[in-house]
């Protein structure tokens, strides 16, 4: 969960800094950008990038849903492959045109859509997570597992910071952080036995979209 959360932060920062100031996984932010663009604000061409990200993310969600019967490790492997292709295209300088950047954005957003269906607990959007945590803290009803909730929020920040630093000091490797993090989650998942790591849905932490690969 921590690795996937960090991968989400890494993927979104890569898309924002390197592809064109849109997000690969935070669709709420993209919808806000789309509204601003419709009103004539923001960069030229941002609306097309936002629509590309939204469409690709939705396709990723569909793909994740169709893979519901597969082992979770295979679903994560598919996400790793998508991110790996994106990292290779960026790292080898094969993204030269505006159309190439749209394709790159589509790959990363597709991967984030798949990830959005992997778990009941969200790993690529966190507004509800933060709201629930703050609400329980205010009501003095914090639970033992809330340390992990805070850890996931911190992991997003750490993944984003890692990618931002990589982009600053070694731009060709800016997309590698998300690949390594998801690959690490894949290795941990395929090495886990007993099927108990998926957890059970919780009303205060659940994924409103549902999850494709939850084990009993």
């Amino acid at each position: 969960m921590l690795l996937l959360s960090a991968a989400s932060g890494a993927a979104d920062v890569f898309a924002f800094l390197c592809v064109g100031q849109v997000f690969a996984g935070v669709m709420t932010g993209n919808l806000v950008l789309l509204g601003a663009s419709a009103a004539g604000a923001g960069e030229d061409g941002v609306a097309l990038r936002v629509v590309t990200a939204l469409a690709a993310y939705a396709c990723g969600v569909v793909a994740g849903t169709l893979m519901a019967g597969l082992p979770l490790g295979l679903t994560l492997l598919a996400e790793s492959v998508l991110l790996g292709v994106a990292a290779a295209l960026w790292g080898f300088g094969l993204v030269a045109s505006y159309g190439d950047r749209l394709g790159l954005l589509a790959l990363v957003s597709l991967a984030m859509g798949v990830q959005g269906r992997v778990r009941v607990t969200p790993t690529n959007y966190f507004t509800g997570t933060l709201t629930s945590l703050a609400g329980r803290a205010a009501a003095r009803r914090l639970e033992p597992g809330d340390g992990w909730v805070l850890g996931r929020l911190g992991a997003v920040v750490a993944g984003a910071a890692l990618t931002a630093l990589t982009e600053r000091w070694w731009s060709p490797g800016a997309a590698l952080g998300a690949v390594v993090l998801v690959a690490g989650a894949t290795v941990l998942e395929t090495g886990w036995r007993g099927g108990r790591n998926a957890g059970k849905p919780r009303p205060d932490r659940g994924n409103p979209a549902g999850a494709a690969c939850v084990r009993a």
Side-chain angles (χ1 to χ4, degrees):
M1 296 294 294
L2 296 180
L3 289 174
L4 291 177
S5 298
S8 172
D12 273 318
V13 166
F14 169 71
F16 193 86
L17 294 180
C18 300
V19 181
Q21 295 193 345
V22 296
F23 300 104
V26 183
M27 293 301 111
T28 302
N30 281 341
L31 291 171
V32 171
L33 291 173
L34 185 61
S37 176
E43 289 188 349
D44 292 338
V46 70
L48 180 57
R49 295 194 295 273
V50 167
V51 170
T52 298
L54 288 168
Y57 185 90
C59 289
V61 171
V62 171
T65 302
L66 294 176
M67 290 188 286
L70 298 177
L72 183 54
L74 288 180
T75 305
L76 291 174
L77 179 61
E79 181 187 354
S80 299
V81 169
L82 290 170
L83 292 173
V85 171
L89 290 173
W90 178 259
F92 288 108
L94 301 177
V95 183
S97 68
Y98 185 75
D100 292 340
R101 286 181 179 267
L102 289 179
L104 182 65
L105 175 63
L107 278 173
V108 181
S109 297
L110 185 65
M112 288 297 101
V114 172
Q115 181 173 314
R117 295 290 288 179
V118 164
R119 296 280 193 183
V120 170
T121 305
T123 58
N124 59 353
Y125 51 91
F126 297 92
T127 301
T129 301
L130 179 59
T131 301
S132 296
L133 180 63
R136 289 193 299 276
R140 298 181 181 179
R141 294 179 180 175
L142 289 175
E143 303 169 2
D146 282 330
W148 289 105
V149 177
L150 188 61
R152 284 192 290 114
L153 295 174
V156 178
V157 176
L162 172 65
T163 297
L165 288 173
T166 304
E167 193 279 331
R168 177 182 298 177
W169 298 108
W170 184 46
S171 183
L176 288 175
V179 181
V180 171
L181 290 164
V182 175
T186 304
V187 170
L188 288 177
E189 176 60 35
T190 54
W192 190 270
R193 293 294 179 265
R196 293 180 301 225
N197 58 321
K200 295 182 179 179
R202 293 187 48 138
D204 56 343
R205 296 176 193 157
N207 181 341
C213 301
V214 180
R215 298 171 183 168

